[in-house]
Amino acid sequence: MQLKPFTAVLPNADGRIKLETNDETWSTEDEQRQTGNSYYWYELTQNGVHQWRLIARWPENQTVSTIIPATINTVLYAQQPVIEMLIDDWVGHFPKALEVTDTNKVTHRLWQITDSDVNADITEVLAPIEPRKTWLTTTSTSLVMLVADSEWAKFKAPVSIPAHLIRLATDQH
């Protein structure tokens, strides 16, 4: 996969409160731009079950096979022990960028991978991996969330992602 790190926009303190209370009056005043290009580990927790995802920038004008047509598309791939090892080895070494529990009692946590060497390792590890091509929905998207098959199977129904959880900063090239 031709993925790379990106500069993200995340909810600030006011934005987190709006996500937690399902307040739909969102504005740019509820956001903050992160520093530097990063990948983001994303953990969802519902009823004690945890699921890991990786959020990355996707090449422009490229479509992907997806399960969830949304701002950030979810792409499944066959389980890759190297990626799981990267999560296990690195997630605790980076700052938690966001934690929100939504009105459906789902907790969303993001960790920003700030080390350029680790980001380079992730890019290299993901390069030869092909996403599964079993779904018909295709959408051009700037960001993707990657989920291993085994992780996706943890929830009987897909967990929804708050619309303003994370987005690509618009002035990137």
Side-chain angles (χ1 to χ4, degrees), residues 10 44 53 56 62 75 92-93 95-96 106 118 167 169:
L10 300 180
L44 297 97
R53 303 179 180 194
Q62 186 170 344
V75 177
H93 296 277
K96 190 184 303 176
V106 178
V118 176
R167 69 176 177 82

Side-chain angles (χ1 to χ4, degrees), residues 109-152:
R109 294 179 188 90
L110 292 174
W111 283 265
Q112 182 180 8
I113 310 306
T114 55
D115 186 288
S116 58
D117 290 338
V118 176
N119 282 319
D121 286 347
I122 293 170
T123 302
E124 182 180 345
V125 165
L126 292 174
I129 297 171
E130 287 299 320
R132 287 179 49 177
K133 302 287 187 183
T134 55
W135 291 276
L136 299 176
T137 304
T138 55
T139 302
S140 183
T141 181
S142 56
L143 297 180
V144 292
M145 287 188 294
L146 291 110
V147 187
D149 300 54
S150 58
E151 286 286 313
W152 184 259

